[in-house]
Amino acid sequence: MTNRVLQCGSIELPLTRPAVMAVINVTPDSFSDGGLIPRMDSGRLRALAESMVAEGASLIDIGGESTRPGAAPVSEDEECRRVLPVLELLLDLGVALSVDTSKAGVAQRAIGLGAHMINDVTALADQRMVEVLADSQVAIVLMHMQGEPRTMQHKPSYTDVSAEVHGYLSRRLAFCRAHGLAAERLVIDPGFGFGKTLIHNLRLLQQLSLFETLGAAVLVGLSRKSMIGTITGRPVTQRQAGSVAAALLAVERGADIVRVHDVAATVDALKMLRALQLGDKPDDATRN
């Protein structure tokens, strides 16, 4: 695990131990909760976010456009309508707020409001995104995806999935650095489930430590995904145990940030892992 500090706008996030990123999807077609969160009023949504922070989340990722396989795109205006009020509602929570978007216009407005991170599943495919980010100090997540959400699970193919994803992310990091984006702002995500079969996902997880060589923080999102369902035979509402196990396996292999739906269970499991790693200093594992 890296000892760097991740620069997230006005927040410096130490990565001396794994950070937990909680998920708030304000999309009516979210795979993980069936569109429950958009039906919450502001009071319930605020309470949900506060509970995530109390349970140990260091970041909250807010998404307004579903990127599940087969998902249809939404307009920039609609995405802003969904995301920006939630961002504004949570700005004083004291944790880093990430906006999950690949649209430069959404990112620009979110950064203007005070977002600390932009999580882009297209790794800045929109050239305008680079210009928006260059004028800020927010963190940037660069994710690998083969294809695009509507078609990415139609027979994804690789010769060597780990080498190809590694190469792609290496090139995107070089692109960012060439455009003046500081290394301490950059995060990479191998993109589990984004244009990958179960075998591809398992190979990436087995070889996750390979990505540490790129010198950027590593974010992993495995929570409740179809690979968990395929392996365990559980529906999406019953994948907590499999998701927590996957998060632990990712951290053991070098993940710095795990993106999860079940914060408390993940944090508890990570405390157990850290206590084991520290051996005779278990108190350090549970210190907030």
Side-chain angles (χ1 to χ4, degrees), residues 105-163:
V106 176
Q108 185 170 37
R109 292 178 65 179
I111 292 168
L113 277 178
H116 306 99
M117 174 183 284
I118 298 298
N119 184 4
D120 185 355
V121 299
T122 70
L124 314 191
D126 183 348
Q127 178 67 34
R128 296 174 302 150
M129 187 73 89
V130 181
E131 299 165 7
V132 168
L133 295 169
D135 292 332
S136 77
Q137 291 299 314
V138 303
I140 306 109
V141 181
L142 307 167
M143 197 195 79
H144 175 274
M145 173 170 54
Q146 188 178 91
E148 47 91 22
R150 283 175 294 181
T151 61
M152 63 187 179
Q153 290 305 105
H154 293 176
K155 298 182 179 179
S157 176
Y158 301 86
T159 300
D160 183 332
V161 64
S162 296

Side-chain angles (χ1 to χ4, degrees), residues 256-271:
D256 298 294
I257 305 169
V258 285
R259 184 179 182 272
V260 307
H261 299 88
D262 303 295
V263 176
T266 305
V267 169
D268 284 353
L270 289 173
K271 286 179 179 178

Side-chain angles (χ1 to χ4, degrees), residues 19-33:
V20 172
M21 171 187 274
V23 179
I24 291 183
N25 283 325
V26 284
T27 56
D29 52 351
S30 170
F31 86 94
S32 63
D33 59 27

Side-chain angles (χ1 to χ4, degrees), residues 45-67:
L45 186 53
R46 171 77 186 198
L48 172 64
E50 288 176 346
S51 71
M52 292 172 165
V53 175
E55 289 167 355
S58 301
L59 310 97
I60 295 177
D61 193 37
I62 306 165
E65 179 177 27
S66 176
T67 51

Side-chain angles (χ1 to χ4, degrees), residues 161-173 210-211 214:
V161 64
S162 296
E164 290 173 50
V165 173
H166 182 278
Y168 171 84
L169 292 174
S170 177
R171 292 189 295 274
R172 297 315 291 165
L173 285 170
L210 173 69
F211 294 91
L214 293 176

Side-chain angles (χ1 to χ4, degrees), residues 172-226:
R172 297 315 291 165
L173 285 170
F175 172 82
C176 288
R177 291 164 182 153
H179 284 81
L181 303 180
E184 60 267 22
R185 297 170 57 195
L186 302 177
V187 182
I188 54 172
D189 179 351
F192 288 92
F194 284 80
K196 285 126 185 138
T197 65
L198 174 61
I199 297 301
H200 296 145
N201 289 323
L202 291 174
R203 181 59 58 85
L204 279 172
L205 185 55
Q206 288 170 340
Q207 300 180 340
L208 190 64
S209 59
L210 173 69
F211 294 91
E212 291 183 284
T213 64
L214 293 176
V218 177
L219 182 151
V220 166
L222 290 160
S223 181
R224 300 188 187 177
K225 287 190 173 177
S226 61

